[in-house]
Amino acid sequence: MTYPTEGHPALLRGGDVIIIGGGLVGLATGAALAARGADVSIVADHNAGEASRAAAGMLAPSVERAEGPAHAFALAARDLYPSYIEALAEVTGTIVSLNREGILELMFDEQQAHGKRSTLASLGGQWLTPEELHALEPAIGTAVGAVLHPGDGAVDNVALLRVLREMVEATSSVTIIHDRVTSIDLENERPWVELASGRTMIASKLVLAAGAWSPGVDGLPRSIPIEPVRGQMMSLGATPVRHVTYAGDGYVVPRSSSLTVVGSTMEHVGFSTGTTPEGMRTLAEVAKRVSPTLGDARPLERWSGLRPVTPDLLPILGRDPDYPTLLYACGHSRNGILLGPLTGECVAALASGETPSLDLSPFSVERFEGSRVTIK
Ligand SMILES: Cc1cc2nc3c(=O)[nH]c(=O)nc-3n(C[C@H](O)[C@H](O)[C@H](O)COP(=O)(O)OP(=O)(O)OC[C@H]3O[C@@H](n4cnc5c(N)ncnc54)[C@H](O)[C@@H]3O)c2cc1C
């Protein structure tokens, strides 16, 4: 490939690190790199169905449970949130709302409840009888009991994304470029990036943080198994329930004093976005199952987003084994809001030549090597 030489108007300096993608993961990584003194460019395209804005914002490592070091990473990600929000507030003056009331998991039949109760001791949840549940959340409808997962909760991901973007935009060592990376070239000592606008960028390192679109960047040294999985969402104009509450095939998340978010479907429909009457019916049933008051609440908005889903639902984090100038920060599947800020810290540490504070080995891209896997 021939590239413009230094000084050519089509050649942009990318600084120390170019981040591909301006969702929560890209922005959190950019902010963490800037805090380490790096010069960063974030190339941020806009696509319908971007996950970070569409998400429910749950911080649910106990319900969406991983195993071993991946679970330890998820708990650490959840527990980073209070200080992360506080640090953001110190810089921007805006406090992003964080709910750490715990998450309720409702049980609707005795057999399911019995199975759950027998594993509770090892999972760290607390069993609530129907009476205890009613005392905690009087607006919740009929259930045979519930598990309370203390410590879990939710963040207002829409506000988080806005505040983080504002902070990054105001940081002099970060440049946001509204463009699309079409291809990368890792063969030189310093990697090159080509943009849809025809410009070329060069930097010392690249971070791939393009969510569900990550596999579509040309020039990646390996195929990465990330598939878009659509989730439909709706919001309702009432908040009778204070806790994030799971009810079988969906959940409700109180977001403000008069808005509850209801989610979500898991649909393998490629990059198609939008909502369907069937999807909305499913969500309305979830809301009603949690609370009759929610069932009667006024529908406000409906939308959908594309989760970047890997076969084992864990993200891909860390250096490429053959091209260490490329770092992966993608494939966060159902838990990218939970994992985003800690991902940013760990990937920024790696890119700066430090050892990340947590074990990233469960997330290595090499775990998919040679195995043909089916996306769940
Ligand atoms: C309906 C729904 C509900 C969810 N609920 C939760 C939840 O409750 N809790 C939780 O933890 N997680 C949840 N998730 C998952 C979470 O939203 C994602 O894992 C996370 O947002 C992924 O962040 P990201 O930055 O990698 O991707 P995205 O937010 O999708 O951002 C990727 C960005 O990269 C840009 N891009 C793509 N290609 C290029 C390119 N070539 N060049 C430049 N830019 C590019 C895209 O336009 C986009 O802006 C949910 C997701 C959905 C869809």
Side-chain angles (χ1 to χ4, degrees), residues 22-327:
L24 178 61
V25 174
L27 291 172
T29 306
L33 276 163
R36 286 169 166 76
D39 211 351
V40 183
S41 298
I42 302 178
V43 184
D45 191 19
H46 176 65
N47 284 283
E50 290 162 345
S52 301
R53 195 172 195 290
M58 289 181 297
L59 309 176
S62 313
V63 188
E64 308 260 338
R65 201 181 163 85
E67 297 300 325
H71 182 56
F73 189 90
L75 289 177
R78 178 195 69 187
D79 295 338
L80 174 65
Y81 255 96
S83 60
Y84 198 78
I85 296 290
E86 206 179 298
L88 261 184
E90 267 168 31
V91 180
T92 62
T94 307
I95 301 171
V96 174
S97 148
L98 182 66
N99 171 346
R100 295 214 62 191
E101 300 271 344
I103 291 185
L104 287 169
E105 205 181 347
L106 302 184
M107 302 288 140
F108 296 101
D109 72 69
E110 291 293 351
Q111 202 182 347
Q112 184 197 21
H114 180 75
K116 199 75 186 181
R117 286 179 81 167
S118 61
T119 57
L120 263 192
S122 60
L123 300 181
Q126 181 190 339
W127 178 253
L128 301 180
T129 62
E131 295 71 32
E132 289 166 335
L133 177 62
H134 183 73
L136 188 67
E137 284 286 9
I140 285 184
T142 318
V144 300
V147 180
L148 174 64
H149 298 278
D152 284 11
V155 65
D156 181 343
N157 51 295
V158 177
L160 174 65
L161 200 64
R162 191 188 63 240
V163 172
L164 193 56
R165 192 181 299 121
E166 280 167 12
M167 188 189 84
V168 165
E169 276 169 355
T171 305
S172 59
S173 56
V174 183
T175 311
I176 300 191
I177 296 156
H178 297 283
D179 210 326
R180 179 164 56 87
V181 171
T182 50
S183 67
I184 61 174
D185 185 339
L186 302 167
E187 295 301 336
N188 305 298
E189 193 187 327
R190 303 183 76 209
W192 292 79
V193 156
E194 283 204 35
L195 305 182
S197 60
R199 295 174 294 177
T200 302
M201 296 178 75
I202 185 168
S204 300
K205 296 209 169 64
L206 302 182
V207 174
L208 181 63
W213 296 268
S214 298
V217 173
D218 279 348
L220 290 174
R222 62 197 69 239
S223 70
I224 47 172
I226 296 175
E227 189 194 340
V229 175
R230 183 171 75 183
Q232 298 186 37
M233 305 282 294
M234 64 154 68
S235 56
L236 300 171
T239 41
V241 177
R242 283 180 301 120
H243 289 78
V244 173
T245 305
Y246 276 72
D249 51 359
Y251 49 76
V252 307
V253 180
R255 184 166 282 175
S256 69
S257 58
S258 56
L259 190 145
T260 294
V261 170
V262 189
S264 181
T265 56
M266 284 281 282
E267 300 165 89
H268 299 260
V269 291
F271 285 93
S272 143
T273 52
T275 59
T276 62
E278 195 192 337
M280 290 302 110
R281 256 195 312 277
T282 304
L283 299 188
E285 278 161 22
V286 168
K288 196 165 148 195
R289 206 177 311 136
V290 172
S291 164
T293 316
L294 271 180
D296 293 337
R298 190 166 55 94
L300 297 177
E301 282 184 71
R302 50 180 69 183
W303 67 95
S304 72
L306 301 170
R307 304 177 186 88
V309 171
T310 62
D312 57 10
L313 300 178
L314 298 179
I316 303 174
L317 307 180
R319 287 191 198 93
D320 185 88
D322 301 323
Y323 294 91
T325 52
L326 172 66
L327 290 98

